[in-house]
Amino acid sequence: MTPGSSSSSSPSSGKARVTEACADRSEEEAPLLSEPTATPNYGLAIEREFEVHDIGISVDVGDYEDLFSFRKLLRFAGPGFAMSIAYVDPGNICSDLHCGAVAGYKLIWLLFLTHAIGLYIQTLSARIGIVTGRNLAQHCRQKYSRGVRIPLWLICELAIIGSDIQEAIGTAIALYLLFGIEIWVGILIAAMLSYVILGIQRFGARKVEGLFVAMIAVMCACFGVEVFMAKPDIAKIIDGLVVPRIPANATVQAVGIVGAVIMPHNLFLHSALVGTRRIKRSESVRKASIREANFYTTIESAVALLFSFIINATILIVFADIYSMDRGNTSIGSMVEEHLPGLIEAAELLRGAFGDIGPLLWAIGLLSSGQSSTATGTMAGQYLMEGMMRMRVSPWLRLFISRSISLVPTMLIGVLATSYLDQLDEWLNVLQSLALPFALIPTLKLAQSHVVMTSDFATSKYWRAFGWVTAAAIIALNVYLLLPLVFMLAARSFLSACAAYASFGLYLFFVGVLVLDSTD
């Protein structure tokens, strides 16, 4: 062999080794899909979200292990805690204090039930991402026609913008309580703070997940201290947890819990975030590795939502205690009959009950809630836009667009009608509930599909029945919320009646389209 041929063969062999290594990695990370649904060049939106120059976007969870490993659980930990942030956003906090004020301890069972149902729904979403290697938004693009996909995308985007408004309001109120900053100025500062948190994504997925865990810890500490200060009746807490009942005067708050707790955009978020965990997908261990990933992801999600339930329950319990007639403060107890407390009024109630430390802890917890949920909302919107519509926009531009749209109504209310912030928050919780079926139904359809999930990982008939009963209950609650509003608008004029009935009919029609559409 001549020297020239020797030198030219070395690069070739190097390229061959690189090509072989890439092929091996491609085999390990290939989605577990049957041939009819596998399509090339269907990249994950998660890839661009966490791309940081030469820093890897994924976390290698290692080889499959037969026995439970706490070390491996920590490797899978992260996406579930990021997902759980939406369960403790300012909208949930406002809903919790209203439930405590109106119903006392009697709705703790419903709060727990919604978190349990949320765990089931989130688990389905995560399984779709783990098994197929694609997130929920990407599947929606593949499965639905353009006529269905575009309205579906717009409804989910509207829900994200509504959530963004709640988060901006919560952050602005927290800044007002901490520093006396005007609400409208706080709204502007909240928009700028969002970019700071978004910038942490430049350092990788684990750094972002660590920030979310830290903020959850801050909320647990702040609201947990207030529970210990309140010294609630443990027997009443247990009674409220194990005895299901809804007081006649708390029907609206009970329905609001569902809309506040389970967020539609969270399903898109969770199915994408699990893509940061790189599992072994080579033929010999593929099914075992995916089952292992499903197992650890379910555990992590359960632990994360347990902390979310604790945070929500502590807020409910504190305000149930403050409004309890047993405390002897009849003036506070009677206020609830005339006016529900808002996030600002809640701070004053805490000051009266616990002194200056009460509103301080409340504001710090509220600030952590608002800023962390803003980051997860932006990420969810990114996956939704790129996956469903293939509109590739940087997270910075995505946040700018979302905040610009939400800033206008929020600023108008912050400047002209601060007293209506809490009413706006209640209506936005209703919006989340109305939008939930449009994320839940595709999740249920995909999770039960043997074509998408294969027969090994599709949901069983019993869990499938449970999922559809849950969806039917949520849709029924939405109809319960909508009908009084429809009748009220219909009574005003002929045109408003036509618009109200047409909108209501269109809502039910689109829900029906999603239910009847075949994913197979």
Side-chain angles (χ1 to χ4, degrees):
M1 182 179 294
T2 63
S5 62
S6 175
S7 62
S8 62
S9 64
S10 179
S12 299
S13 62
K15 290 180 180 178
R17 286 194 297 271
V18 171
T19 303
E20 183 180 354
C22 291
D24 292 341
R25 177 168 179 171
S26 176
E27 180 185 1
E28 282 193 353
E29 298 180 354
L32 183 62
L33 288 172
S34 57
E35 290 300 322
T37 58
T39 56
N41 301 323
Y42 203 55
L44 292 173
I46 195 78
E47 185 172 340
R48 292 182 68 255
E49 183 73 28
F50 290 104
E51 185 177 5
V52 191
H53 304 294
D54 295 329
I55 300 177
I57 61 167
S58 58
V59 177
D60 189 353
V61 298
D63 295 327
Y64 168 76
E65 300 177 19
D66 291 326
L67 300 177
F68 175 82
S69 169
F70 186 74
R71 172 184 52 81
K72 176 158 282 193
L73 176 61
L74 291 179
R75 289 181 180 177
F76 277 100
F81 282 94
M83 167 273 297
S84 70
I85 290 292
Y87 286 72
V88 288
D89 73 342
N92 279 287
I93 291 176
C94 189
S95 174
D96 295 334
L97 73 92
H98 288 173
C99 288
V102 173
Y105 305 98
K106 295 182 177 67
L107 293 181
I108 299 178
W109 70 272
L110 184 59
L111 188 64
F112 179 80
L113 179 63
T114 53
H115 279 77
I117 293 174
L119 174 61
Y120 169 72
I121 297 172
Q122 296 293 162
T123 299
L124 292 184
S125 171
R127 284 168 63 90
I128 291 171
I130 292 170
V131 173
T132 68
R134 301 174 184 173
N135 62 52
L136 178 59
Q138 292 170 324
H139 280 290
C140 287
R141 175 176 177 81
Q142 185 179 14
K143 293 300 178 184
Y144 295 120
S145 66
R146 187 178 180 86
V148 174
R149 189 173 67 250
I150 292 178
L152 185 64
W153 170 62
L154 291 175
I155 291 171
C156 293
E157 287 285 1
L158 184 62
I160 292 175
I161 292 172
S163 177
D164 197 49
I165 293 175
Q166 290 180 303
E167 291 143 11
I169 291 174
T171 301
I173 290 176
L175 293 174
Y176 168 77
L177 295 173
L178 287 171
F179 308 109
I181 299 173
E182 292 292 335
I183 296 295
W184 69 271
V185 177
I187 293 171
L188 293 176
I189 295 175
M192 291 184 289
L193 287 175
S194 302
Y195 285 97
V196 176
I197 294 182
L198 193 64
I200 298 177
Q201 292 184 11
R202 303 291 298 175
F203 300 98
R206 295 296 274 178
K207 303 297 187 301
V208 179
E209 293 162 357
L211 176 64
F212 291 149
V213 171
M215 288 189 169
I216 291 173
V218 169
M219 286 184 271
C220 284
C222 291
F223 300 134
V225 167
E226 290 181 339
V227 166
F228 284 108
M229 294 172 65
K231 299 178 181 178
D233 190 326
I234 302 300
K236 289 185 177 180
I237 294 175
I238 296 175
D239 179 71
L241 180 62
V242 300
V243 180
R245 59 190 183 277
I246 299 177
N249 65 331
T251 305
V252 175
Q253 285 70 34
V255 174
I257 286 180
V258 178
V261 170
I262 306 175
M263 296 283 191
H265 65 266
N266 226 24
L267 301 182
F268 295 96
L269 176 68
H270 202 192
S271 67
L273 288 180
V274 293
T276 57
R277 269 49 186 179
R278 191 171 72 251
I279 63 176
K280 304 300 181 184
R281 294 185 185 270
S282 55
E283 192 62 35
S284 59
V285 295
R286 176 176 293 184
K287 290 182 181 179
S289 294
I290 290 176
R291 291 188 189 280
E292 180 187 57
N294 287 337
F295 173 73
Y296 283 112
T297 299
T298 300
I299 293 178
E300 190 239 353
S301 299
V303 172
L305 288 182
L306 176 61
F307 279 104
S308 296
F309 167 71
I310 291 172
I311 291 171
N312 285 304
T314 55
I315 297 168
L316 187 153
I317 290 168
V318 166
F319 285 95
D321 186 70
I322 289 176
Y323 275 89
S324 174
M325 298 299 293
D326 294 338
R327 290 178 63 88
N329 195 340
T330 56
S331 61
I332 291 180
S334 62
M335 279 172 55
V336 70
E337 300 296 335
E338 302 176 358
H339 175 67
L340 287 173
L343 295 174
I344 297 177
E345 293 169 313
E348 293 304 315
L349 292 172
L350 291 170
R351 187 189 305 277
F354 311 128
D356 291 339
I357 189 65
L360 177 62
L361 293 172
W362 175 255
I364 294 174
L366 189 59
L367 182 63
S368 297
S369 168
Q371 284 304 288
S372 57
S373 52
T374 293
T376 57
T378 301
M379 293 161 61
Q382 182 78 2
Y383 305 138
L384 180 65
M385 183 180 293
E386 292 191 4
M388 195 176 292
M389 303 304 295
R390 286 187 177 172
M391 297 171 59
R392 295 190 176 275
V393 180
S394 71
W396 306 90
L397 181 58
R398 163 74 205 187
L399 179 59
F400 176 78
I401 295 172
S402 176
R403 269 291 155 97
S404 297
I405 296 173
S406 63
L407 202 61
V408 175
T410 311
M411 283 292 293
L412 287 175
I413 294 179
V415 174
L416 303 176
T418 305
S419 60
Y420 289 95
L421 286 174
D422 297 302
Q423 288 89 330
L424 175 64
D425 195 70
E426 291 179 0
W427 279 107
L428 291 174
N429 281 338
V430 172
L431 172 63
Q432 300 297 328
S433 180
L434 294 177
L436 180 57
F438 301 106
L440 175 58
I441 293 173
T443 301
L444 294 175
K445 299 281 284 187
L446 289 166
Q448 72 184 28
S449 171
H450 287 252
V451 172
V452 176
M453 300 289 285
T454 76
S455 57
D456 294 300
F457 298 102
T459 50
S460 65
K461 62 178 182 179
Y462 297 109
W463 283 114
R464 189 183 310 171
F466 176 77
W468 286 109
V469 169
T470 300
I474 291 172
I475 294 170
L477 286 175
N478 288 338
V479 171
Y480 173 83
L481 284 171
L482 283 176
L483 279 179
L485 180 61
V486 170
F487 293 148
M488 181 186 70
L489 293 174
R492 292 186 175 181
S493 66
F494 176 75
L495 289 178
S496 63
C498 290
Y501 287 122
S503 300
F504 182 66
L506 186 62
Y507 177 83
L508 294 181
F509 172 77
F510 195 48
V511 169
V513 167
L514 293 179
V515 171
L516 297 176
D517 183 89
S518 174
T519 56
D520 292 343

